[in-house]
Amino acid sequence: QRKSVYLNRFTLRAPALEGAERESEFFIEVNDGNVHLNVRNHLPEEKDMNWGRVKARVGLNVFIGWIEVALDFIATGQKGKMKMDNYSHYQGGKYTEQMGKENDLIWGCDDNGIYYITVHEQGRRAVRFDFKPTKWHHMVKGDGQPFSDAEISKFFFRGWLKSLRQVVGVVVGNGA
């Protein structure tokens, strides 16, 4: 029997889409040595689709490689959007003989220096999950000046990726 482990502490939230029951979520599940990156939008019209769940299924080696690509993206200071196309035999939740594009894992940095991530499927509403400062914690530099939103975003995205790489390795090593 396959064992799924949900990495709840890595869950990201975005404001609710118009008409949604509640805020959108980006969450991570490790199942049988694979990493599933999920978005759930909570739209009533997608209730029968597990409340708007879009799932990128990624093997462990590809997942670790993707983290390295994302970390390089941060290190170069690039702006713009990057993506990884995900292909599968499952289209619209049903198995097909022909492989096709299932969804995209998208990450990037906007013109304001805010890093973001999402999983998007053709024909579905996109949700962007930003790495931004929180209202609960305010980081200040040694000179007393606050870090900019862009600086915080870079630190948060990079820290999230590095921590995720470590935790996924431990979870898979323990049989999930």
Coordinates of all heavy atoms in Angstrom, one line a residue, residues 35-74:
V35 N 7.2 13.2 -5.6 CA 6.7 14.4 -5.0 C 5.6 14.9 -5.8 O 5.6 15.0 -7.1 CB 7.9 15.4 -4.9 CG1 7.4 16.7 -4.3 CG2 9.1 14.9 -4.2
H36 N 4.5 15.2 -5.2 CA 3.3 15.8 -5.8 C 3.1 17.2 -5.4 O 2.9 17.5 -4.2 CB 2.0 15.0 -5.5 CG 2.1 13.6 -5.9 ND1 1.1 12.7 -5.6 CD2 3.0 12.9 -6.6 CE1 1.4 11.5 -6.1 NE2 2.5 11.6 -6.7
L37 N 3.2 18.1 -6.3 CA 3.0 19.6 -6.0 C 1.6 19.9 -6.4 O 1.2 19.7 -7.6 CB 4.0 20.4 -6.8 CG 5.5 20.0 -6.6 CD1 6.4 20.2 -7.8 CD2 6.0 20.7 -5.3
N38 N 0.8 20.3 -5.5 CA -0.6 20.5 -5.7 C -1.1 21.9 -5.5 O -0.6 22.6 -4.6 CB -1.4 19.7 -4.6 CG -1.1 18.2 -4.7 OD1 -1.7 17.5 -5.4 ND2 -0.1 17.8 -3.9
V39 N -2.1 22.3 -6.3 CA -2.8 23.6 -6.1 C -4.3 23.2 -5.9 O -4.8 22.4 -6.7 CB -2.6 24.5 -7.3 CG1 -3.6 25.7 -7.2 CG2 -1.2 25.1 -7.3
R40 N -4.9 23.8 -4.9 CA -6.4 23.6 -4.8 C -7.0 25.0 -4.7 O -6.6 25.8 -3.9 CB -6.7 22.8 -3.5 CG -8.2 22.5 -3.4 CD -8.5 21.5 -2.3 NE -8.1 20.2 -2.6 CZ -7.6 19.3 -1.8 NH1 -7.3 19.6 -0.6 NH2 -7.3 18.1 -2.2
N41 N -8.0 25.3 -5.6 CA -8.5 26.6 -5.7 C -9.8 26.8 -4.9 O -10.3 27.9 -4.8 CB -8.6 27.1 -7.1 CG -9.6 26.2 -7.9 OD1 -10.6 25.7 -7.4 ND2 -9.4 26.1 -9.2
H42 N -10.5 25.7 -4.5 CA -11.8 25.8 -3.8 C -12.9 26.4 -4.5 O -13.8 27.1 -3.9 CB -11.6 26.4 -2.4 CG -10.6 25.7 -1.5 ND1 -10.9 24.5 -0.9 CD2 -9.3 25.9 -1.2 CE1 -9.9 24.1 -0.2 NE2 -8.9 24.9 -0.4
L43 N -12.9 26.3 -5.9 CA -14.0 26.9 -6.6 C -15.2 25.9 -6.6 O -15.0 24.7 -6.9 CB -13.5 27.2 -8.1 CG -12.6 28.3 -8.3 CD1 -12.0 28.3 -9.7 CD2 -13.3 29.7 -8.0
P44 N -16.4 26.4 -6.4 CA -17.6 25.5 -6.4 C -17.8 24.8 -7.7 O -18.2 23.6 -7.7 CB -18.7 26.5 -6.1 CG -18.1 27.7 -5.4 CD -16.7 27.8 -6.0
E45 N -17.5 25.4 -8.8 CA -17.7 24.7 -10.1 C -16.7 23.6 -10.3 O -16.8 22.8 -11.2 CB -17.6 25.7 -11.3 CG -16.3 26.4 -11.5 CD -16.2 27.8 -10.8 OE1 -16.9 28.1 -9.8 OE2 -15.4 28.6 -11.3
E46 N -15.6 23.5 -9.5 CA -14.6 22.5 -9.6 C -14.7 21.5 -8.4 O -13.8 20.8 -8.1 CB -13.2 23.1 -9.7 CG -13.1 23.8 -11.1 CD -11.7 24.2 -11.4 OE1 -10.7 23.7 -10.7 OE2 -11.5 24.9 -12.4
K47 N -15.9 21.5 -7.7 CA -16.0 20.7 -6.5 C -15.8 19.2 -6.8 O -15.2 18.5 -6.1 CB -17.4 20.9 -5.9 CG -17.7 20.1 -4.7 CD -19.1 20.4 -4.2 CE -19.4 19.6 -2.9 NZ -20.7 19.9 -2.4
D48 N -16.3 18.8 -8.0 CA -16.2 17.4 -8.4 C -14.8 17.1 -8.9 O -14.5 15.9 -9.2 CB -17.2 17.0 -9.5 CG -18.6 17.1 -9.0 OD1 -18.8 17.0 -7.8 OD2 -19.5 17.2 -9.8
M49 N -13.9 18.1 -9.0 CA -12.5 17.9 -9.4 C -11.6 18.1 -8.1 O -10.6 18.7 -8.2 CB -12.1 18.9 -10.5 CG -13.0 18.7 -11.7 SD -12.8 20.1 -12.8 CE -11.1 19.8 -13.5
N50 N -12.1 17.5 -7.0 CA -11.4 17.6 -5.7 C -11.1 19.1 -5.4 O -10.0 19.4 -5.0 CB -10.1 16.8 -5.8 CG -9.6 16.4 -4.4 OD1 -10.1 16.9 -3.4 ND2 -8.5 15.6 -4.4
W51 N -12.2 19.9 -5.5 CA -12.1 21.3 -5.2 C -11.0 22.0 -5.9 O -10.3 22.9 -5.4 CB -12.0 21.5 -3.7 CG -13.3 21.2 -3.0 CD1 -13.6 20.1 -2.2 CD2 -14.5 22.0 -2.9 NE1 -14.9 20.2 -1.8 CE2 -15.4 21.3 -2.2 CE3 -14.8 23.3 -3.5 CZ2 -16.7 21.8 -2.0 CZ3 -16.1 23.7 -3.3 CH2 -17.0 23.0 -2.5
G52 N -11.0 21.7 -7.2 CA -10.0 22.5 -8.1 C -8.6 22.1 -7.9 O -7.7 22.8 -8.2
R53 N -8.3 20.8 -7.6 CA -7.0 20.3 -7.4 C -6.3 20.1 -8.7 O -6.8 19.5 -9.6 CB -7.0 19.0 -6.6 CG -5.6 18.6 -6.2 CD -5.7 17.4 -5.3 NE -4.4 16.9 -4.9 CZ -4.3 15.9 -4.0 NH1 -5.4 15.4 -3.4 NH2 -3.1 15.5 -3.6
V54 N -5.1 20.7 -8.8 CA -4.2 20.5 -10.0 C -2.9 19.9 -9.4 O -2.3 20.5 -8.4 CB -3.9 21.8 -10.7 CG1 -2.9 21.5 -11.9 CG2 -5.2 22.4 -11.2
K55 N -2.5 18.7 -9.9 CA -1.4 18.0 -9.3 C -0.2 17.8 -10.3 O -0.5 17.2 -11.3 CB -1.8 16.7 -8.7 CG -0.8 15.8 -8.1 CD -1.2 14.4 -7.8 CE -2.2 14.5 -6.6 NZ -2.4 13.1 -6.0
A56 N 1.0 18.2 -10.0 CA 2.1 17.9 -10.8 C 2.9 16.8 -10.1 O 3.3 16.9 -8.9 CB 3.1 19.1 -10.9
R57 N 2.9 15.6 -10.7 CA 3.6 14.4 -10.2 C 5.0 14.4 -10.7 O 5.2 14.4 -11.9 CB 2.9 13.2 -10.6 CG 1.5 13.0 -10.2 CD 0.7 11.9 -10.9 NE -0.6 11.8 -10.6 CZ -1.6 12.5 -11.1 NH1 -1.4 13.3 -12.1 NH2 -2.9 12.3 -10.7
V58 N 6.0 14.4 -9.8 CA 7.4 14.6 -10.2 C 8.2 13.5 -9.4 O 8.1 13.4 -8.2 CB 7.9 16.0 -9.8 CG1 9.3 16.2 -10.2 CG2 7.0 17.1 -10.4
G59 N 9.0 12.8 -10.2 CA 9.9 11.8 -9.6 C 11.0 12.5 -8.7 O 11.3 13.7 -8.9
L60 N 11.5 11.8 -7.8 CA 12.5 12.4 -6.8 C 13.7 13.1 -7.5 O 14.0 14.2 -7.2 CB 12.9 11.4 -5.8 CG 13.9 11.9 -4.7 CD1 13.2 13.0 -3.9 CD2 14.4 10.8 -3.9
N61 N 14.3 12.4 -8.5 CA 15.4 13.0 -9.1 C 15.1 14.2 -9.9 O 15.9 15.2 -9.9 CB 16.1 12.0 -10.1 CG 16.8 10.8 -9.3 OD1 17.1 11.0 -8.1 ND2 16.9 9.7 -10.0
V62 N 14.0 14.2 -10.5 CA 13.5 15.4 -11.3 C 13.2 16.6 -10.3 O 13.6 17.7 -10.5 CB 12.3 15.1 -12.2 CG1 11.8 16.4 -12.8 CG2 12.7 14.1 -13.2
F63 N 12.6 16.2 -9.2 CA 12.2 17.2 -8.2 C 13.5 17.9 -7.6 O 13.6 19.1 -7.5 CB 11.5 16.6 -7.0 CG 11.1 17.5 -5.9 CD1 10.1 18.5 -6.0 CD2 11.8 17.4 -4.7 CE1 9.9 19.3 -5.0 CE2 11.5 18.3 -3.7 CZ 10.6 19.2 -3.8
I64 N 14.5 17.1 -7.3 CA 15.8 17.6 -6.7 C 16.4 18.5 -7.8 O 16.9 19.6 -7.5 CB 16.7 16.5 -6.2 CG1 16.0 15.8 -5.1 CG2 18.1 17.1 -5.9 CD1 15.7 16.6 -3.9
G65 N 16.4 18.0 -9.1 CA 16.9 18.8 -10.2 C 16.2 20.1 -10.4 O 16.8 21.2 -10.6
W66 N 14.9 20.1 -10.2 CA 14.1 21.3 -10.4 C 14.5 22.3 -9.3 O 14.6 23.5 -9.5 CB 12.6 21.0 -10.3 CG 11.8 22.3 -10.0 CD1 11.6 23.3 -11.0 CD2 11.3 22.8 -8.8 NE1 10.9 24.3 -10.4 CE2 10.7 24.0 -9.0 CE3 11.2 22.2 -7.5 CZ2 10.1 24.7 -8.1 CZ3 10.5 22.9 -6.5 CH2 10.0 24.2 -6.8
I67 N 14.7 21.8 -8.0 CA 15.1 22.8 -7.0 C 16.4 23.4 -7.3 O 16.6 24.6 -7.1 CB 15.2 22.0 -5.6 CG1 13.7 21.8 -5.1 CG2 16.0 22.8 -4.6 CD1 13.6 21.1 -3.8
E68 N 17.4 22.7 -7.9 CA 18.7 23.2 -8.3 C 18.5 24.3 -9.4 O 19.1 25.4 -9.3 CB 19.6 22.1 -8.8 CG 20.0 21.2 -7.7 CD 20.8 21.9 -6.5 OE1 21.6 22.8 -6.8 OE2 20.5 21.6 -5.4
V69 N 17.6 24.0 -10.3 CA 17.3 25.0 -11.4 C 16.7 26.3 -10.8 O 17.1 27.4 -11.1 CB 16.4 24.5 -12.5 CG1 15.9 25.5 -13.4 CG2 17.1 23.3 -13.2
A70 N 15.8 26.1 -9.8 CA 15.1 27.3 -9.2 C 16.1 28.1 -8.4 O 16.1 29.3 -8.4 CB 13.9 26.8 -8.4
L71 N 17.0 27.4 -7.7 CA 18.0 28.1 -6.9 C 19.0 28.8 -7.8 O 19.4 30.0 -7.4 CB 18.8 27.1 -6.0 CG 18.0 26.5 -4.8 CD1 18.8 25.4 -4.1 CD2 17.7 27.6 -3.8
D72 N 19.4 28.3 -8.9 CA 20.2 29.0 -9.9 C 19.5 30.2 -10.4 O 20.1 31.3 -10.6 CB 20.6 28.1 -11.1 CG 21.8 27.2 -10.8 OD1 22.4 27.3 -9.7 OD2 22.1 26.3 -11.6
F73 N 18.2 30.1 -10.7 CA 17.4 31.2 -11.1 C 17.5 32.4 -10.1 O 17.7 33.5 -10.5 CB 16.0 30.8 -11.3 CG 15.0 31.8 -11.7 CD1 15.0 32.3 -13.0 CD2 14.1 32.4 -10.8 CE1 14.1 33.3 -13.4 CE2 13.2 33.4 -11.2 CZ 13.2 33.8 -12.5
I74 N 17.3 32.0 -8.8 CA 17.4 33.1 -7.8 C 18.8 33.7 -7.7 O 19.0 34.9 -7.7 CB 17.1 32.4 -6.4 CG1 15.6 32.0 -6.4 CG2 17.4 33.5 -5.3 CD1 15.3 31.1 -5.2

